[in-house]
Structures are given as structure tokens and as C-alpha cells.
Amino acid sequence: VLQKGLKENFADAQVSVVDCPDLTQEPFNFPAKGICGKPRIADVGGVPYLIPLVQKEKVYDLNTVAKDIELPGAFILGAGAASSKVLGINAELIPIVQTKSEKKPAVNGSYVAQINPADKGCLLEKYSSKYTDCEFGLLANLYASEGQPGKVIEVKANGRTGELNFVSCLRQTLEKHYGEKPVGMGGTFIIQKGKAKIHIMPPEFSACPLNTDEDVNNWLKFFEMKAPLICQPVIVSRDPGFDLRVEHTHCFSHHGEGGHYHQDTSPDSVQYLGYFQPAELLFRIDRPQETHLVGRD
């Protein structure tokens, strides 16, 4: 299904089932070896807690989320907002956490991408270099598993010929094929060659209400970042009525760049390599009562 859909948007696409590579190795350096074992997706909080105006009291803990999704000790990947209570500012969180279990403390391999106060560029830091907690704020889309090795879906796509980004293409392909049956997927992919459009939220929350997508885009800071970028997507083919963010991807690198992935900006030369696992369960945590569809891109 995925290969057929990808070939409509990429010059070359190959999808196969392989053994998950050891994710503790370069370029991932994750705290767990794989993305297999009781795979599940959690959508926590939501964009309505960020815009039109921020609700700073919305703070969560990945160790608590792991228990909430009935998988204490889960290995969690995804995309979220950092806790402004911990950082003192607003920033992008690239969560990569082996949550705590009865036997072991948490291992936080997350990154934070923020606007560098010195030059207004990207400042990417390992979370554990400054902080010891596993908190996040406002919103997160998370893929959780036991972090085990096992069979995964390997996706290779080169040379983008269509308009859709890599993640949207995967999601829309699933939606087209499975229709009303929601299919969720998570994992990791590398933009091996090329460049990508990435945003980072500014350090200050907006004092003026952000009421439209245009308002949001004027507030966000956009960058062109270069490969290799290691990206953690969370995908649900269709919202079954839980006010989900159906796709959300954050990325990091080993050259100081990272943030929220939008699209590659070098379609001819771009190369994607990803490892995915379909999820078995979906959890919706602290769903906003008052909602809207602004700022979901």
C-alpha cells in the first residue's frame, strides 16, 4: 500500500519488511534498540492549549504518560512542546525517552530546539545537558513501544515529484486505502540528502491572540536546514473523532539543527530512509474541550 502511494509522489520508492536496525547506534543514538513491542500512539493535550493564547499550566510528564497508556517503562518518540515551566521559555521538544520502570530510572535522550538569543538562529541542545526531568508542555504526539528489536517497515523514497511531504504522503496513502478505518504509525526516518523547511516556535508566547494560520505562520520562525536530519513522525491516517493531530514530526541532527518538519526544499536530490511500525492502540489524553483547526500543519 505504502509503496504504491509513494511512487505517485517520489521518483523512486521501495517499501519492505526488515529487522529493525540497532537504534542505539549512529546516527540515532537512541536509549533503546528498537521500536517494537506493544506499539501504541498517544495524543496529549493539543494546539488549542497553545493558540489563540497559551495555557501555561498545561504541563505533562512522559513517565506518567507511559503509565496512562498502560506501558510503564515505554520507549517514547515523537513531537511536542517543551515545558515552559522548566525552561523558562517556549521551545520545540524532540522527545526520545526510555521512561522509568520499577527496575530502572528514565533515560532522557530528547533534544530541545529553540531560537538562539545571540543570533536568532537555531539552538539545538540535548535535554539532559541541562535538565533531569521528563516533562513537556501543552501538546505532544507520541509513539510508544517496549523499545525492542523486531520486524519493521523500511521505507526508502528518493526524488520528490509531487507536492506532498514524505509524512503527508504516507498518511494520505493510508487514508485513501483504509478509508474510515484509522491506521496509526510511528518510528523514525532520516533525511539523508538535501534540505528541509523547519520551524521553531519563538521563546515568547504570543501576547496577541493567534486566530488564523497566517497569524501562526507570522509568529513562527522558519529555517532551511540541511541533511542529515533524524525525524520522529507520529501518523494517524484519519481522525476517528478524537480531535487528533493526524501528523506531527520533529527532527534533530548532529550539526546543531532541528525543529518541526514541514517539507524538503530540495525535491530533486532528497533521499528519505525510514523505519516504521503500525500501532495497535490509540490513547487520547487531556483533550481540549474548546477546539479549532488553526495551526495544525
Side-chain angles (χ1 to χ4, degrees):
V1 170
L2 293 173
Q3 183 164 299
K4 187 166 167 273
L6 283 163
K7 285 192 167 173
E8 292 175 14
N9 201 64
F10 290 90
D12 181 43
Q14 288 173 300
V15 182
S16 47
V17 175
V18 302
D19 289 314
C20 189
D22 183 349
L23 299 178
T24 64
Q25 302 299 306
E26 294 279 345
F28 305 102
N29 300 352
F30 290 169
K33 280 186 180 293
I35 53 169
C36 301
K38 300 185 179 173
R40 51 204 59 195
I41 283 172
D43 191 316
V44 186
V47 178
Y49 294 152
L50 172 68
I51 54 179
L53 291 168
V54 70
Q55 298 179 36
K56 283 189 189 176
E57 70 283 0
K58 291 293 181 183
V59 179
Y60 310 93
D61 188 301
L62 287 165
N63 291 311
T64 310
V65 169
K67 288 179 188 159
D68 289 344
I69 63 174
E70 298 161 20
L71 201 64
F75 173 49
I76 297 178
L77 296 172
S83 166
S84 63
K85 282 191 176 172
V86 175
L87 274 70
I89 56 157
N90 183 29
E92 305 287 345
L93 180 67
I94 300 97
I96 306 165
V97 176
Q98 179 82 59
T99 57
K100 71 177 180 191
S101 62
E102 285 177 8
K103 297 172 190 160
K104 294 180 187 165
V107 181
N108 194 336
S110 303
Y111 288 80
V112 171
Q114 64 187 72
I115 300 299
N116 191 331
D119 63 5
K120 303 297 183 244
C122 169
L123 177 61
L124 182 79
E125 295 176 303
K126 282 210 79 148
Y127 194 85
S128 61
S129 68
K130 287 188 175 177
Y131 313 104
T132 55
D133 60 273
C134 292
E135 284 191 14
F136 64 97
L138 308 174
L139 60 97
N141 298 89
L142 305 167
Y143 169 82
S145 71
E146 291 177 328
Q148 299 291 337
K151 296 292 183 189
V152 293
I153 300 170
E154 180 188 67
V155 180
K156 295 177 180 175
N158 305 330
R160 182 170 56 81
T161 53
E163 292 298 310
L164 296 177
N165 75 39
F166 180 62
V167 177
S168 297
C169 182
L170 291 170
R171 187 190 67 76
Q172 290 186 27
T173 296
L174 291 171
E175 184 181 26
K176 213 158 142 186
H177 188 269
Y178 293 100
E180 288 185 11
K181 184 181 178 185
V183 176
M185 242 176 23
T188 183
F189 69 89
I190 310 166
I191 304 176
Q192 295 177 301
K193 288 190 178 170
K195 295 178 178 174
K197 178 184 176 182
I198 308 288
H199 87 235
I200 300 174
M201 295 185 287
E204 304 288 336
F205 293 109
S206 180
C208 313
L210 301 170
N211 293 317
T212 66
D213 282 331
E214 189 182 9
D215 291 345
V216 173
N217 288 336
N218 288 334
W219 174 69
L220 295 171
K221 306 296 179 202
F222 288 91
F223 299 90
E224 188 174 63
M225 297 186 183
K226 62 180 188 288
L229 295 165
I230 300 114
C231 310
Q232 284 59 244
V234 179
I235 302 166
V236 181
S237 62
R238 178 179 287 199
D239 184 352
F242 298 128
D243 192 23
L244 302 179
R245 192 166 188 175
V246 289
E247 55 183 78
H248 195 187
T249 305
H250 282 187
C251 63
F252 71 94
S253 71
H254 299 299
H255 55 264
E257 295 186 316
H260 173 114
Y261 163 81
H262 284 270
Q263 175 64 295
D264 62 81
T265 56
S266 53
D268 295 344
S269 61
V270 75
Q271 291 185 3
Y272 290 97
L273 169 64
Y275 301 98
F276 298 91
Q277 186 75 350
E280 296 168 352
L281 294 165
L282 170 67
F283 290 82
R284 186 69 177 98
I285 298 171
D286 196 26
R287 175 180 174 176
Q289 305 246 302
E290 291 179 35
T291 193
H292 55 72
L293 292 175
V294 177
R296 300 284 178 117
D297 185 16

